[in-house]
Amino acid sequence: MSPTAWMAWPVILPLLGAVLALLVGRKGVRVVAGVASVATFTASAVLTWEVATRGVLRQAIGGWGPPLGIEWRADGLAVLMLLTIGVVGPLISVHALDHLGDREDREFLPLWLFVWCALNALVLSADAFNLYVTLELVTLASVALIAVRRDRPGLDAGLRYLLFALPGSLLYLLGVALLYGLYSALDLGLLGQRITPGPVAWVAAGVMTLGLCLKTPLFPLHVWLPPTYTGAPTPVTALLSALISKGSYYVLLRLWLEVFTPILDWQVGQFLGVLGAAAVLWGSLLALSQSQLKRVVAYSSVAQIGYMFLLFPMATLGARTGAVYLVVSHAAAKASMFVAVGNIHQAVGITELGGVQGLAYRMPFTFLAMALGGISLIGMPPSGGFIAKWILLEESIWTGQWWWGLVLLLGGLLASAYVFRILRGSFLPLPPGVTVRSIPLGNELAPLALALIALVLGLVPWFPLELLAVGTAR
Amino acid sequence: MNPWAVYALSGVAMFSVGLVGLFSHEHPVKRILASNIAGSGVLLVLVALARREPTGAPDPVPHALVLTGIVVSVSATALGVALARRIARIDATAKAESTGASDPEAGGGSA
Amino acid sequence: MTAALLDACLALCLPLLAWLVLRTESLSQSVVLFVAMGLLSALAWARLDAPDISLVEAAVGTGLTGALLMHTLSWTDERPPDVAARARHRPWAVVAMAALTGMLGWAVLSLPSDDPGLTREVDAHLAESGVEHPVTAVLLNYRGYDTLLEIAVLLVAVLGARAVNPRSERTTPEPSRDPLTGELFRMMTPALLLVAGYLVWVGEHGPGGAFQAGAILAGGGVVALLTTRLGTPRMSSWRVRWALLTGPLLFIGAAVAPLFSGRALLEYREAQAGTVIFVVELALTVSIAMVLWMFFPGMRPARAERSGKEPS
């Protein structure tokens, strides 16, 4: 099979897996999903290898090519995202199997495979309208996942997420329509060549950015995030925060760095940067003031998304590397923390922050994971978060915009405060009268594996950094 | 003004009405309606753009995009109303239990 | 002149109706107005020479969506009165609406006024696409990958909707005892099948296709739910799962087959494209009809009069 043909499998295999998992009914779901997961991961790994050795790959789907057809494009950034989804996603889904009931399995697994298919399709797509379809597929599958337990909080969270994500997609689609109206193209490459400053480009960029920021979400559009993340089952929250929210951010990054580059003025960059900085500070402060454990971690996501927007004011290749490195390490670290939160809820059934008291001794792996994940969120070495923030800090000084460096440092300080709040409690003596249910070892190891990925990203950053450089020399 | 521009502006207005409506309502059915309206607006803009050349056949590409868009929007609506329905039923059951009715289904129907 | 007047009227009525839909206090009136708006927009799309879309909009965007919403009202009208159906009066809303319309209108009006888009490119390759109707060529060949993902969207929606409401798969509590409706349904069935088959076939060279045909069949299914003892198909039945999933499986198979002979995803051979597209469309018609049908859970007697008096 030709190297470009490999691009199809990370999209097709999870889709086929999802359809077959639905077809086999209740008995074979786990087997089908397991086989599909291994196959999809393998395909993503092979594609990564092909891109690392051969450079950027393209496939004109249907053999047409732009402007008539849709094109897939795999550069270093795309395959790094594929790999992140392919490693973090299955680890979360393994944890979900024990966390959710037997009945939910039958729905969780096909839905997760649909999300995986959609995210891989999103990452590879170089077509503005095709991206809309993938965004909607991600959204609907996420909504179904959030509500999979059919309890009132989950249903409310699902409906809330749907009703915020839908207008986000529609704003994006309107932008696509305007761009097509002026440039008669949907391919991102063609649009990037043809774009000229003017009312259409400005308005399209505005509505598309607004829509994607609503979905990601960027401060101050984050109002839906805390209740949604809290109401969803914990493994689903982990998926939302680690992977799903990155989907719309990824589209935003592609748009601004590859299509709207000529209209990325200083003011636009600073504006997005200011919102990002506000997200960092506001999110961290609110994380500090929460009394529920899950909400602390949820507000921390608001802050971490904020850092990713510091890319836009600097808009250098280095800043892109830093932001993407943060996306990857945050995916691992935050997934680990949410999965750990799920373990804690399962063990003591207390959702308050005080519920962690004394648990470090009973659930050592879970809290080790929490600590390692926390280190990455703070940005302390050795962790992926440290590398990412270091690169961003360097860029902020190098571009003469030191104020973003200040935001990075302040955010790290606040993060250490809320991480410390969780960890400190866990070392206090176990309060009397609290019974700790034992957690299956696999469930304790899943967050640890995720946290170790965040750690390894800090220890051996060369491979991902080299990969990210593939396809940037244009 | 050209007919396409008239319809495109109409679509833009529908989109705005729907989008703003979505954020100023609280009832889930109203919000789902609003998102459908906003969606129709965007699709109307696309269809209008396809008809800018007054002679000959219209541009089939936006037409195909709109067909896809309609299917996506009916899917989202179906999922949304399914959630809304379940929530309403849970509430009805809770209400029936608190008033001492034995059959939750009947409680939902006669409330 | 009359045409221009009609266009202006339609274009003015659509946003006005949209505003009324959201402004009306009664939910059932909102839904009725929404259906009226949908029918008007189907008319607008016919005026813009988009008969394919007009068909789908009337059947799916308005018909099925309206029915779904109407049907939902019979469940949700018990919502506690604290969630008012009416928007709180917010002055910012009007300002935001005007500002948004103005900004978007500015962009729309600065678009070139006689742009053919991709019409030429579509026509240039139509002979290689295997079908004669340009919209079908875009939908199932040039941009067939969009359609593949769109099928996934439909499956996700039906899976999600069913997962949330598994118990409502009950049979209709009281199917209409009116002998006339039952007889009507029996008479309608062959006609529906005929129309659906015709729409798939005609889609190869004129307006029509899998979605239009699937919507027609699903409409028949919904009528069956109302008039016969037939229940909504259950996911737990293997027959239903096969009916639902054969189309997607065939489509995936047709999409990946070219990969094994060194071509790209969905790159059909020119000589076979027509046949492959027709078979895929036929199989998809069944799946689409099943999905749209299964969006409707078990029926409950509607209480339209009650929902007309929403607590305000």
Side-chain angles (χ1 to χ4, degrees):
Chain A
M1 199 167 291
S2 68
T4 50
W6 277 104
M7 300 182 78
W9 297 114
V11 177
I12 295 296
L13 287 172
L15 178 62
L16 188 63
V19 173
L20 289 176
L22 284 179
L23 195 64
V24 292
R26 67 185 65 187
K27 285 198 194 92
V29 173
R30 284 190 177 207
V31 178
V32 171
V35 173
S37 301
V38 172
T40 308
F41 172 76
T42 312
S44 303
V46 171
L47 184 63
T48 306
W49 178 250
E50 294 284 354
V51 169
T53 50
R54 288 167 197 270
V56 180
L57 294 177
R58 289 159 192 281
Q59 184 178 141
I61 302 171
W64 303 105
L68 209 49
I70 300 164
E71 193 176 65
W72 271 327
R73 206 176 57 213
D75 55 6
L77 167 61
V79 289
L80 186 62
M81 293 299 290
L82 280 188
L83 219 51
T84 307
I85 301 160
V87 173
V88 174
L91 281 172
I92 298 173
S93 74
V94 165
H95 169 259
L97 292 188
D98 273 312
H99 194 85
L100 298 169
D102 251 0
R103 186 193 62 75
E104 283 89 357
D105 260 21
R106 273 179 276 141
E107 283 130 19
F108 177 88
L109 286 173
L111 286 171
W112 150 242
L113 286 171
F114 276 121
V115 169
W116 197 354
C117 156
L119 284 174
N120 285 356
L122 178 143
V123 160
L124 290 174
S125 180
D127 183 278
F129 182 79
N130 185 250
L131 280 170
Y132 163 75
V133 182
T134 64
L135 280 169
E136 288 291 50
L137 185 55
V138 173
T139 302
L140 295 194
S142 310
V143 169
L145 277 175
I146 294 170
V148 77
R149 245 185 348 211
R150 286 185 227 156
D151 53 350
R152 181 69 204 264
L155 292 163
D156 277 341
L159 196 56
R160 181 181 293 110
Y161 180 72
L162 180 70
L163 290 172
F164 275 96
L166 277 181
S169 311
L170 288 174
L171 282 161
Y172 173 84
L173 183 61
L174 188 63
V176 174
L178 289 175
L179 289 179
Y180 182 83
L182 187 54
Y183 305 112
S184 297
L186 294 164
D187 181 73
L188 297 186
L190 280 181
L191 286 172
Q193 287 166 20
R194 295 178 186 175
I195 201 105
T196 42
V200 175
W202 292 328
V203 172
V207 290
M208 287 166 104
T209 305
L210 181 64
L212 293 168
C213 287
L214 186 61
K215 283 176 90 106
T216 303
L218 172 66
F219 176 92
L221 305 169
H222 66 278
V223 285
W224 61 264
L225 184 146
T228 303
Y229 280 22
T230 321
T234 311
V236 178
T237 312
L239 284 176
L240 282 172
S241 172
L243 304 176
I244 293 167
S245 73
K246 307 295 165 37
S248 40
Y249 173 76
Y250 177 88
V251 178
L252 201 60
L253 192 152
R254 287 264 188 225
L255 282 180
W256 279 108
L257 296 191
E258 290 167 26
V259 178
F260 294 132
T261 335
I263 57 170
L264 181 54
D265 294 337
W266 194 80
Q267 295 93 322
V268 175
Q270 294 294 315
F271 177 67
L272 287 172
V274 166
L275 292 183
V280 169
L281 300 179
W282 184 245
S284 304
L285 283 173
L286 279 173
L288 256 175
S289 65
Q290 297 304 308
S291 59
Q292 304 257 320
L293 179 57
K294 207 174 173 184
R295 289 184 89 92
V296 175
V297 188
Y299 272 107
S300 151
S301 291
V302 175
Q304 295 280 322
I305 290 166
Y307 291 123
M308 295 165 200
F309 282 82
L310 298 186
L311 147 72
F312 297 108
M314 304 186 230
T316 58
L317 215 52
R320 187 189 88 139
T321 307
V324 174
Y325 215 81
L326 193 69
V327 167
V328 174
S329 45
H330 178 249
K334 193 46 75 63
S336 145
M337 293 195 82
F338 271 120
V339 170
V341 169
N343 281 349
I344 294 165
H345 285 177
Q346 221 171 355
V348 289
I350 304 173
T351 55
E352 267 78 45
L353 194 55
V356 298
Q357 271 193 29
L359 290 182
Y361 309 104
R362 299 298 194 86
M363 307 166 72
F365 292 132
T366 299
F367 278 89
L368 184 58
M370 196 75 116
L372 287 175
I375 285 176
S376 190
L377 292 189
I378 298 165
M380 280 200 304
S383 69
F386 167 72
I387 304 281
K389 283 193 179 174
W390 184 259
I391 297 173
L392 285 173
L393 193 64
E394 263 186 354
E395 288 300 315
S396 75
I397 294 164
W398 190 72
T399 54
Q401 304 181 28
W402 50 269
W403 48 92
W404 306 124
L406 218 59
V407 173
L408 286 163
L409 296 176
L410 206 57
L413 214 61
L414 289 169
S416 58
Y418 63 69
V419 170
F420 182 69
R421 255 182 102 209
I422 302 174
L423 291 178
R424 194 188 67 104
S426 70
F427 286 105
L428 295 174
L430 191 71
V434 173
T435 48
V436 182
R437 274 182 295 270
S438 71
I439 300 287
L441 187 65
N443 268 16
E444 274 233 81
L445 291 180
L448 189 61
L450 287 162
L452 285 175
I453 294 168
L455 180 76
V456 168
L457 282 169
L459 293 174
V460 266
W462 304 283
F463 175 68
L465 288 180
E466 271 172 30
L467 198 58
L468 264 179
V470 175
T472 50
R474 261 173 298 132
Chain B
M1 198 183 286
N2 291 311
W4 78 264
V6 172
Y7 281 113
L9 286 181
S10 168
V12 158
M14 272 172 88
F15 174 79
S16 310
V17 169
L19 193 73
V20 173
L22 189 56
F23 290 105
S24 49
H25 280 273
E26 276 163 39
H27 197 286
V29 174
K30 271 282 168 80
R31 297 186 65 186
I32 292 169
L33 274 169
S35 107
N36 266 296
I37 289 170
S40 298
V42 180
L43 301 183
L44 183 55
V45 172
L46 265 167
V47 179
L49 290 182
R51 184 73 278 192
R52 278 180 293 169
E53 223 186 22
T55 52
D59 184 359
V61 174
H63 286 190
L65 305 187
V66 168
L67 285 175
T68 307
I70 291 176
V71 175
V72 169
S73 117
V74 76
S75 301
T77 304
L79 191 56
V81 297
L83 294 182
R85 217 158 33 217
R86 181 76 182 182
I87 292 171
R89 213 159 72 166
I90 290 176
D91 287 353
T93 311
K95 204 158 118 194
E97 271 164 8
S98 68
T99 54
S102 53
D103 182 9
E105 293 294 339
S110 62
Chain C
M1 188 59 220
T2 28
L5 207 65
L6 178 64
D7 287 337
C9 246
L10 267 176
L12 209 65
C13 279
L14 281 170
L16 216 62
L17 266 175
W19 189 73
L20 275 178
V21 169
L22 297 177
R23 198 66 206 139
T24 309
E25 268 182 60
S26 143
L27 281 174
S28 54
Q29 277 177 31
S30 285
V31 176
V32 170
L33 284 170
F34 173 78
V35 171
M37 189 199 79
L39 291 176
L40 275 193
S41 69
L43 201 59
W45 293 354
R47 285 283 308 142
L48 287 161
D49 297 308
D52 300 79
I53 306 175
S54 203
L55 260 171
V56 176
E57 168 63 25
V60 182
T62 304
L64 271 167
T65 306
L68 259 175
L69 288 165
M70 212 37 160
H71 176 245
T72 305
L73 288 188
S74 66
W75 290 96
T76 55
D77 58 6
E78 302 110 8
R79 281 190 75 85
D82 55 303
V83 182
R86 188 181 169 174
R88 285 195 226 113
H89 184 65
R90 284 171 175 148
W92 64 261
V94 182
V95 179
M97 230 180 269
L100 198 62
T101 311
M103 184 188 72
L104 295 170
W106 175 50
V108 162
L109 289 181
S110 44
L111 287 171
S113 174
D114 52 352
D115 196 308
L118 289 173
T119 319
R120 315 263 186 280
E121 285 85 349
V122 170
D123 284 344
H125 296 278
L126 202 56
E128 306 156 45
S129 73
V131 290
E132 290 162 35
H133 186 47
V135 177
T136 308
V138 177
L139 216 48
L140 281 134
N141 202 332
Y142 306 146
R143 299 185 66 90
Y145 174 56
D146 276 344
T147 307
L148 181 66
L149 290 180
E150 177 191 344
I151 298 296
V153 169
L154 280 168
L155 289 179
V156 163
V158 82
L159 181 63
R162 284 288 112 153
V164 170
N165 285 311
R167 278 206 307 141
S168 53
E169 296 177 20
R170 298 174 296 133
T171 320
T172 316
E174 338 162 0
S176 164
R177 292 206 184 78
D178 187 356
L180 206 64
T181 45
E183 196 54 44
L184 183 72
F185 177 71
R186 265 184 294 273
M187 278 165 59
M188 247 170 61
T189 312
L192 277 177
L193 286 172
L194 205 67
V195 171
Y198 172 75
L199 277 173
V200 178
W201 173 76
V202 81
E204 310 295 302
H205 28 100
F211 287 102
Q212 289 86 338
I216 298 274
L217 286 180
V222 175
V223 174
L225 287 179
L226 287 169
T227 57
T228 66
R229 293 217 162 265
L230 201 65
T232 314
R234 292 158 178 269
M235 280 293 253
S236 53
S237 141
W238 64 268
R239 284 195 195 86
V240 169
R241 292 205 302 270
W242 275 104
L244 202 58
L245 300 170
T246 307
L249 278 176
L250 247 167
F251 198 2
I252 295 173
V256 297
L259 289 174
F260 295 98
S261 53
R263 283 167 293 150
L265 188 86
L266 284 160
E267 191 176 354
Y268 307 132
R269 283 187 203 286
E270 207 181 308
Q272 298 160 355
T275 322
V276 175
I277 289 175
F278 182 67
V279 172
V280 166
E281 273 215 282
L282 211 55
L284 285 183
T285 303
V286 178
S287 304
I288 291 164
M290 288 296 290
V291 169
L292 296 178
W293 186 14
M294 287 172 75
F295 281 160
F296 285 84
M299 291 289 167
R300 268 174 71 145
R303 294 182 309 278
E305 304 89 66
R306 277 206 59 254
S307 52
K309 295 188 224 82
E310 269 306 305
S312 51

